[in-house]
Amino acid sequence: MSNIVNSNRGPAFTHHGEYKVPGGKLVVADLVVDGGRIEQAMINGDFFLEPDEALADINHALTGLAADVSHSKLVKAVEAGLREDAVMFGFDAHAVATAVRRALGHSTTWADHEWEILEPVAYPISWNTALDEVLTRQVAAGKRKPTLRLWEWNEPAVVIGSFQSLSNEVDVEAAERHGVTVVRRISGGGAMFMESGNCVTYSLTVPATLVDGMSFADSYPFLDAWVMEALSELGVEARYVPLNDIATEQGKIGGAAQKRLAGGGLLHHVTMSYDIDAEKMMEVLRIGREKISDKGIASAKKRVDPLKRQTGNTAREDILEVMMSAFERKYGARRVHLDEETLAEARNLAEKKFQDPEWTARLP
């Protein structure tokens, strides 16, 4: 959030940003920026700070910093500038940094963007992985609005993470026997076993400014807050188990992965199990004891906790509709169709990269 402050707010301040700490207080940054530097800063909000004089310390620490200052440098400046006996309630130096970055236009909120939804359309699995890359690059370049895309596919597939070894994760002979296509995606994380209709998968392609200053651990639940609300509507009370697992009291139902591109785009995608054939999955995926050693379970089959059962046998298409509707309500998104040019670009990338055995086996 960044804007020129109007006369009602006081003409001295040229930049305004706000940040509501999750579970905490509102932090507001009003700034005067001139010559590429912060000439004056006024941090305010409904937080608590002792002693009173510590507020002047924060404002002084911000004064003189470059207008393109990084989030980490802002945090260090605020922490270094505070007196030893200062105590912050309901906020911290990271919150101040985020409010300042928003005022300077380097950090954005959900409300700063127009959101679009691409409804599920069946494509080959390699097209789906290619679309993730193409759409993220388009968002980074400002050619596309931030987008929620729900996957659909017809062939059985395994999608492995960018840094996984193909031979360690997949029994290639078993995959061939079951007609399972194996592709490698651009994001990290674990393997996804994906027969048609057996899971719910979606991708968020967003500008990196939306998670500016956030750790990876914080960005996962932040980007999926809307889907937790959608699941709650379906009677599923889910939560994040660090780093990237989505779970309920009955067990894990899914996991997330991310890729941050150098151009400023971020890909975040989630797969939740709906009605997985656990025995076939175990034949195709090499899920070893080390993989499940920290899960407190004796069998990898118990990791599959279908969303179908937890929602009382709700049809998968109905779950997808609840999710899209929740995203529409929360962020004012609108549903759009994928343009032919983007689809052609994804198809071409799929042929050149995601269907290439060298890419799939880049970590053999």
Side-chain angles (χ1 to χ4, degrees), residues 105-283:
H106 304 311
S107 177
T108 57
T109 71
W110 293 92
D112 292 326
H113 303 283
E114 295 181 43
W115 294 88
E116 295 182 340
I117 298 173
L118 289 171
E119 297 181 86
V121 175
Y123 300 121
I125 204 70
S126 61
W127 294 21
N128 275 291
T129 53
L131 274 168
D132 271 357
E133 181 170 337
V134 170
L135 295 176
T136 305
R137 294 191 185 282
Q138 288 181 348
V139 170
K143 297 179 180 179
R144 175 175 296 277
K145 295 173 183 176
T147 301
L148 166 68
R149 180 175 71 90
L150 289 95
W151 289 34
E152 195 57 89
W153 63 98
N154 290 323
E155 82 250 55
V158 168
V159 182
I160 60 175
S162 180
F163 307 109
Q164 290 187 300
S165 160
L166 175 62
S167 60
N168 286 343
E169 297 298 325
V170 182
D171 185 324
V172 176
E173 291 184 0
E176 291 177 352
R177 186 169 63 252
H178 288 291
V180 174
T181 300
V182 181
V183 297
R184 183 185 296 275
R185 62 181 185 267
I186 63 172
S187 61
M192 301 149 55
F193 180 74
M194 304 173 64
E195 289 187 295
S196 178
N198 79 349
C199 54
V200 171
T201 297
Y202 64 86
S203 297
L204 273 173
T205 48
V206 306
T209 55
L210 187 65
V211 295
D212 179 73
M214 286 187 186
S215 66
F216 276 91
D218 289 340
S219 69
Y220 279 91
F222 171 77
L223 291 171
D224 284 331
W226 66 275
V227 83
M228 298 303 177
E229 294 179 13
L231 289 172
S232 182
E233 289 183 39
L234 292 161
V236 179
E237 297 303 323
R239 67 186 187 283
Y240 252 93
V241 178
L243 170 69
N244 62 334
D245 285 352
I246 298 175
T248 70
E249 291 300 321
Q250 299 181 52
K252 176 179 174 178
I253 61 173
Q258 287 185 6
K259 176 66 176 180
R260 303 190 185 199
L261 302 183
L266 183 148
L267 167 66
H268 174 91
H269 66 76
V270 168
T271 291
M272 294 181 286
S273 57
Y274 177 72
D275 192 15
I276 286 180
D277 182 338
E279 290 190 9
K280 186 184 294 185
M281 182 186 72
M282 289 296 296
E283 287 185 41

Side-chain angles (χ1 to χ4, degrees), residues 312-340:
N313 292 322
T314 300
R316 178 175 173 272
E317 56 267 28
D318 292 337
I319 292 175
L320 297 178
E321 179 58 38
V322 169
M323 290 170 59
M324 289 186 288
S325 296
F327 196 84
E328 286 175 320
R329 290 194 306 272
K330 193 171 182 68
Y331 303 124
R334 65 187 185 95
R335 303 187 192 192
V336 300
H337 297 288
L338 189 64
D339 59 283
E340 289 299 323

